[in-house]
Amino acid sequence: MTGGAGYIGSHTVRALREAGRSVVAYDSLELGTAAAVGDAPLIVGDIADRDLVERTCREHDVSAIVHFAAYKNVGESMQSPTKYFDNNVAGTVRLLDGAVAAGVGQFVFSSSCSVYGTPAVVPVDETQPIDPESVYAETKATVERVLRWYDVVHGIRSISLRYFNAAGASFDSRIGEDWTFALNLIPVAIRALLTGDRELQVFGDDYPTPDGTCVRDYIHVDDLAAAHIAAIDHLASGGTTTAVNLGTGVGSSILEVLDAIEAVAGSPVPHRIVPRREGDPVATFSDTTRSTDLLGWRAQYGLKEIVETAYRWHQSQLDAPQPD
Ligand code: WQD
């Protein structure tokens, strides 16, 4: 599992081990922490290190690769396209070469609903046009196309999972998202509430939505972890290469998210309405038909559990002894 020490990766490592599956985490630790993988074996390395990938796959008798490792900051990608194409695309090609050399035939890819850009129709299903609006999203769409060719040429079959808005944390607050790097709404809002060191900027309340703020499909990270196990099983049973949306099918506005956080925290999120952010779709949420029909998976949790687990996790991190 590449990126196994990261946010969604660490939750998926844990879910696989709790399901009795053998898993080896492979992570450069550039953005992840070794502790996040728990007692799973960890290989510290770069996805572009083709030989180390091949050696790791052979030594651990890897049957499937789950590929989370990528840079994912949309804003940064528009400042540093080379960094994003080098790591997210070229790095994945090198990873695939190592996998093919080791005879790995199944590959689960961490893709993104951002490959659709601003969807013309919501809920969004997998037949919608691919129209990335950022370098980050372009890297995800490009890897999906590379994967289709690696199936044609090398027979490695893959499932590209197009996440909507990943959020939340483990229910026991043992693992969660590191808000140091996070720019996403929920960690930023909770940080504003818990530390008070900055207020949340709400990017626009003049959208054509019920309360004027953008609508997104927030999906619990444990639901995403379960979907990856379903995708591994689907490929193991002969599933062919394809892409699947992962969302709850429910859209929530920013103000609804802030209300949900206030309901858990007992105090409001300090925030200010500022002008719209360039490139933000008005509303996007998933059509869940294919994820249910193909993977037999559906999200178990909603906004309430997402906000409760995220809040408890971030509060526990604040209470933990801070490094000197
Ligand atoms: C959510 C909403 C913002 C921060 C993300 C990832 C993308 C993909 C989908 C995985 C928007 C608003 C946010 C803030 C705000 N996931 N917002 N103030 O842009 O929907 O996309 O999920 O691959 O890669 O980036 O997520 O959390 O940035 O924004 O008002 O400080 O919250 O305008 O409407 P986004 P986000």
Side-chain angles (χ1 to χ4, degrees), residues 235-261:
L235 287 172
S237 61
T240 53
T241 292
T242 190
V244 181
N245 289 349
L246 292 184
T248 66
V250 175
S252 301
S253 75
I254 296 172
L255 295 184
E256 285 171 331
V257 170
L258 300 192
D259 289 345
I261 294 173

Short mmCIF file of all heavy atoms in Angstrom, two decimals, residues 235-261:
data_model
loop_
_atom_site.label_atom_id
_atom_site.label_comp_id
_atom_site.label_asym_id
_atom_site.label_seq_id
_atom_site.Cartn_x
_atom_site.Cartn_y
_atom_site.Cartn_z
N LEU A 235 -11.33 -7.06 -7.80
CA LEU A 235 -10.27 -7.41 -8.77
C LEU A 235 -9.85 -8.86 -8.59
O LEU A 235 -9.63 -9.60 -9.55
CB LEU A 235 -9.06 -6.48 -8.59
CG LEU A 235 -9.25 -5.04 -9.08
CD1 LEU A 235 -8.05 -4.18 -8.65
CD2 LEU A 235 -9.44 -4.98 -10.59
N ALA A 236 -9.77 -9.30 -7.33
CA ALA A 236 -9.34 -10.69 -7.07
C ALA A 236 -10.34 -11.68 -7.67
O ALA A 236 -9.96 -12.79 -8.06
CB ALA A 236 -9.21 -10.92 -5.56
N SER A 237 -11.59 -11.26 -7.79
CA SER A 237 -12.60 -12.18 -8.36
C SER A 237 -12.72 -11.99 -9.87
O SER A 237 -13.68 -12.44 -10.49
CB SER A 237 -13.96 -11.95 -7.69
OG SER A 237 -14.37 -10.62 -7.93
N GLY A 238 -11.75 -11.27 -10.46
CA GLY A 238 -11.70 -11.17 -11.92
C GLY A 238 -12.24 -9.87 -12.49
O GLY A 238 -12.39 -9.73 -13.71
N GLY A 239 -12.55 -8.89 -11.64
CA GLY A 239 -13.10 -7.62 -12.12
C GLY A 239 -12.20 -6.96 -13.16
O GLY A 239 -10.97 -7.02 -13.05
N THR A 240 -12.82 -6.34 -14.15
CA THR A 240 -12.05 -5.69 -15.22
C THR A 240 -11.77 -4.23 -14.87
O THR A 240 -12.44 -3.65 -14.01
CB THR A 240 -12.84 -5.75 -16.56
OG1 THR A 240 -14.14 -5.21 -16.32
CG2 THR A 240 -12.98 -7.19 -17.04
N THR A 241 -10.83 -3.67 -15.59
CA THR A 241 -10.38 -2.30 -15.32
C THR A 241 -11.52 -1.30 -15.51
O THR A 241 -12.22 -1.32 -16.53
CB THR A 241 -9.21 -1.96 -16.27
OG1 THR A 241 -8.10 -2.77 -15.88
CG2 THR A 241 -8.82 -0.49 -16.18
N THR A 242 -11.69 -0.41 -14.51
CA THR A 242 -12.77 0.58 -14.58
C THR A 242 -12.54 1.67 -13.54
O THR A 242 -11.55 1.64 -12.82
CB THR A 242 -14.14 -0.12 -14.36
OG1 THR A 242 -15.19 0.80 -14.65
CG2 THR A 242 -14.29 -0.61 -12.93
N ALA A 243 -13.50 2.61 -13.47
CA ALA A 243 -13.44 3.69 -12.47
C ALA A 243 -14.78 3.74 -11.74
O ALA A 243 -15.84 3.47 -12.34
CB ALA A 243 -13.16 5.03 -13.14
N VAL A 244 -14.74 4.07 -10.44
CA VAL A 244 -15.95 4.09 -9.61
C VAL A 244 -15.94 5.31 -8.69
O VAL A 244 -14.92 5.59 -8.05
CB VAL A 244 -16.03 2.82 -8.72
CG1 VAL A 244 -17.30 2.83 -7.88
CG2 VAL A 244 -15.97 1.56 -9.58
N ASN A 245 -17.07 6.02 -8.63
CA ASN A 245 -17.20 7.14 -7.68
C ASN A 245 -17.37 6.62 -6.27
O ASN A 245 -18.05 5.61 -6.05
CB ASN A 245 -18.45 7.98 -8.02
CG ASN A 245 -18.30 8.77 -9.29
OD1 ASN A 245 -17.21 8.89 -9.85
ND2 ASN A 245 -19.41 9.32 -9.78
N LEU A 246 -16.76 7.32 -5.30
CA LEU A 246 -16.98 6.98 -3.89
C LEU A 246 -17.51 8.21 -3.16
O LEU A 246 -16.77 9.16 -2.89
CB LEU A 246 -15.69 6.51 -3.23
CG LEU A 246 -15.12 5.17 -3.70
CD1 LEU A 246 -13.89 4.81 -2.86
CD2 LEU A 246 -16.16 4.05 -3.61
N GLY A 247 -18.81 8.20 -2.90
CA GLY A 247 -19.43 9.29 -2.16
C GLY A 247 -20.63 8.74 -1.41
O GLY A 247 -20.94 7.55 -1.50
N THR A 248 -21.30 9.62 -0.67
CA THR A 248 -22.50 9.19 0.06
C THR A 248 -23.76 9.43 -0.75
O THR A 248 -24.82 8.92 -0.44
CB THR A 248 -22.64 9.99 1.38
OG1 THR A 248 -22.88 11.38 1.04
CG2 THR A 248 -21.37 9.90 2.24
N GLY A 249 -23.64 10.28 -1.79
CA GLY A 249 -24.83 10.65 -2.56
C GLY A 249 -25.60 11.80 -1.92
O GLY A 249 -26.63 12.25 -2.43
N VAL A 250 -25.07 12.31 -0.79
CA VAL A 250 -25.73 13.42 -0.09
C VAL A 250 -24.84 14.66 -0.16
O VAL A 250 -23.65 14.58 0.14
CB VAL A 250 -25.98 13.06 1.40
CG1 VAL A 250 -26.56 14.25 2.16
CG2 VAL A 250 -26.89 11.84 1.49
N GLY A 251 -25.41 15.78 -0.56
CA GLY A 251 -24.66 17.03 -0.61
C GLY A 251 -24.90 17.84 0.65
O GLY A 251 -26.04 17.89 1.13
N SER A 252 -23.84 18.44 1.19
CA SER A 252 -23.96 19.31 2.36
C SER A 252 -23.31 20.65 2.04
O SER A 252 -22.22 20.68 1.44
CB SER A 252 -23.24 18.70 3.58
OG SER A 252 -23.77 17.44 3.90
N SER A 253 -23.96 21.73 2.47
CA SER A 253 -23.39 23.07 2.21
C SER A 253 -22.35 23.40 3.29
O SER A 253 -22.30 22.74 4.35
CB SER A 253 -24.50 24.12 2.24
OG SER A 253 -24.89 24.36 3.59
N ILE A 254 -21.57 24.42 3.05
CA ILE A 254 -20.56 24.81 4.03
C ILE A 254 -21.24 25.21 5.34
O ILE A 254 -20.83 24.80 6.43
CB ILE A 254 -19.72 25.99 3.49
CG1 ILE A 254 -18.95 25.53 2.26
CG2 ILE A 254 -18.76 26.49 4.56
CD1 ILE A 254 -18.25 26.64 1.55
N LEU A 255 -22.33 25.98 5.24
CA LEU A 255 -22.99 26.41 6.49
C LEU A 255 -23.59 25.21 7.23
O LEU A 255 -23.60 25.18 8.47
CB LEU A 255 -24.05 27.47 6.18
CG LEU A 255 -23.49 28.80 5.64
CD1 LEU A 255 -24.61 29.83 5.46
CD2 LEU A 255 -22.39 29.35 6.53
N GLU A 256 -24.05 24.20 6.50
CA GLU A 256 -24.53 22.98 7.17
C GLU A 256 -23.38 22.28 7.90
O GLU A 256 -23.54 21.76 9.00
CB GLU A 256 -25.17 22.03 6.15
CG GLU A 256 -26.54 22.46 5.67
CD GLU A 256 -27.06 21.63 4.51
OE1 GLU A 256 -26.22 21.12 3.71
OE2 GLU A 256 -28.28 21.48 4.39
N VAL A 257 -22.19 22.29 7.29
CA VAL A 257 -21.02 21.69 7.94
C VAL A 257 -20.68 22.48 9.21
O VAL A 257 -20.45 21.90 10.29
CB VAL A 257 -19.81 21.66 6.98
CG1 VAL A 257 -18.53 21.26 7.71
CG2 VAL A 257 -20.08 20.70 5.82
N LEU A 258 -20.71 23.79 9.12
CA LEU A 258 -20.38 24.62 10.31
C LEU A 258 -21.42 24.39 11.41
O LEU A 258 -21.07 24.31 12.60
CB LEU A 258 -20.30 26.09 9.92
CG LEU A 258 -19.25 26.47 8.86
CD1 LEU A 258 -19.07 27.98 8.78
CD2 LEU A 258 -17.90 25.80 9.15
N ASP A 259 -22.68 24.24 11.03
CA ASP A 259 -23.72 23.95 12.04
C ASP A 259 -23.46 22.60 12.70
O ASP A 259 -23.60 22.45 13.93
CB ASP A 259 -25.12 23.93 11.39
CG ASP A 259 -25.58 25.33 10.99
OD1 ASP A 259 -24.96 26.31 11.47
OD2 ASP A 259 -26.54 25.43 10.20
N ALA A 260 -23.04 21.61 11.90
CA ALA A 260 -22.78 20.27 12.45
C ALA A 260 -21.59 20.32 13.42
O ALA A 260 -21.61 19.68 14.48
CB ALA A 260 -22.50 19.29 11.32
N ILE A 261 -20.59 21.11 13.09
CA ILE A 261 -19.43 21.23 13.98
C ILE A 261 -19.84 21.94 15.28
O ILE A 261 -19.50 21.49 16.38
CB ILE A 261 -18.27 22.01 13.30
CG1 ILE A 261 -17.72 21.21 12.11
CG2 ILE A 261 -17.15 22.32 14.29
CD1 ILE A 261 -16.70 21.97 11.26
#
